[in-house]
């Protein structure tokens, strides 16, 4: 499994499994925009999913929750422990982290305030959907617009359904 994020520092960060013997061992590589250079960046900070516009932080999912990776010092910090989510991302204004969870027959969208590498509040429920299916199972996936106006989810592992919810 691989994931990637473009960053405001002018690089593409790509994460993926590096060992079949250790499924928790992710490595992240930094690739220049022109493709002229690629180098290992860090180990064991999960699958990179998003970056801040200023190019200072990457957001990733781990087997321990949601983590951030400070680009300048390569420090990995778990921000939201014990949560399983598919695609966390920074909000459009960069002041929150958005993520979904699915359990007990519903999907819950959360927003947690964030600034300069730190959480500044507790997770808040933004929306609950009255149905759920396992995230990242047989191609199932969710995606959230940064401004929370739309949620798209696909269920190819079920009946090849794709749904779009728009909020006004």
């Amino acid at each position: 499994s691989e994931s990637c994020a473009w960053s405001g520092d002018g690089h593409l960060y790509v994460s993926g499994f590096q060992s079949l013997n250790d499924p928790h061992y992710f490595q992240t590589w930094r690739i220049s925009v022109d493709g002229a250079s690629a180098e290992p960046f860090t180990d064991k900070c999960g699958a990179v999913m998003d970056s801040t516009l200023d190019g200072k932080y990457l957001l990733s999912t781990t087997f321990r929750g949601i983590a951030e990776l400070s680009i300048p010092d390569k420090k990995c910090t778990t921000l939201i422990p014990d949560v399983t989510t598919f695609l966390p991302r920074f909000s459009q204004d960069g002041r929150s982290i958005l993520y979904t969870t699915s359990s007990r027959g519903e999907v819950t969208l959360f927003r947690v305030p964030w600034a300069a590498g730190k959480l500044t509040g507790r997770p808040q429920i933004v929306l609950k959907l009255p149905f759920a299916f396992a995230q990242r199972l047989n191609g199932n996936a969710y995606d959230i617009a940064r401004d929370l106006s739309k949620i798209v989810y696909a269920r190819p592992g079920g009946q090849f359904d794709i749904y779009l919810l728009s909020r006004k």
Side-chain angles (χ1 to χ4, degrees):
S1 176
E2 293 185 5
S3 62
C4 63
W6 288 105
S7 178
D9 72 348
H11 293 92
L12 175 66
Y13 290 86
V14 178
S15 300
F17 290 114
Q18 295 300 306
S19 170
L20 294 176
N21 296 328
D22 183 359
H24 296 161
Y25 179 52
F26 274 87
Q27 186 174 41
T28 300
W29 283 64
R30 177 169 46 192
I31 302 169
S32 63
V33 174
D34 62 7
S37 68
E39 62 189 9
F41 186 71
T42 191
D43 294 332
K44 297 187 178 184
C45 194
V48 170
M49 296 290 169
D50 200 10
S51 70
T52 56
L53 293 175
D54 63 8
K56 292 182 180 177
Y57 297 95
L58 298 170
L59 196 60
S60 65
T61 59
T62 70
F63 292 97
R64 299 174 310 276
I66 299 172
E68 78 178 8
L69 176 58
S70 169
I71 292 174
D73 64 13
K74 299 182 182 181
K75 181 180 177 188
C76 184
T77 305
T78 299
L79 293 176
I80 306 168
D82 304 322
V83 67
T84 301
T85 187
F86 173 64
L87 185 64
R89 65 171 14 111
F90 289 102
S91 62
Q92 188 169 1
D93 63 9
R95 297 190 319 222
S96 299
I97 295 170
L98 309 171
Y99 65 95
T100 59
T101 62
S102 57
S103 67
R104 292 186 228 115
E106 64 186 12
V107 173
T108 305
L109 170 60
F110 290 92
R111 173 181 34 222
V112 60
W114 177 93
K118 294 184 175 44
L119 297 182
T120 59
R122 299 184 51 80
Q124 306 157 355
I125 295 174
V126 175
L127 176 69
K128 284 190 176 199
L129 303 173
F131 50 85
F133 46 87
Q135 300 181 69
R136 295 190 90 172
L137 177 66
N138 297 325
N140 295 345
Y142 295 85
D143 199 2
I144 310 161
R146 292 181 190 277
D147 65 358
L148 298 175
S149 65
K150 294 176 181 66
I151 298 174
V152 177
Y153 50 101
R155 187 180 166 189
Q159 302 171 348
F160 297 97
D161 298 332
I162 298 176
Y163 302 88
L164 169 67
L165 291 177
S166 295
R167 295 178 42 160
K168 293 182 182 179

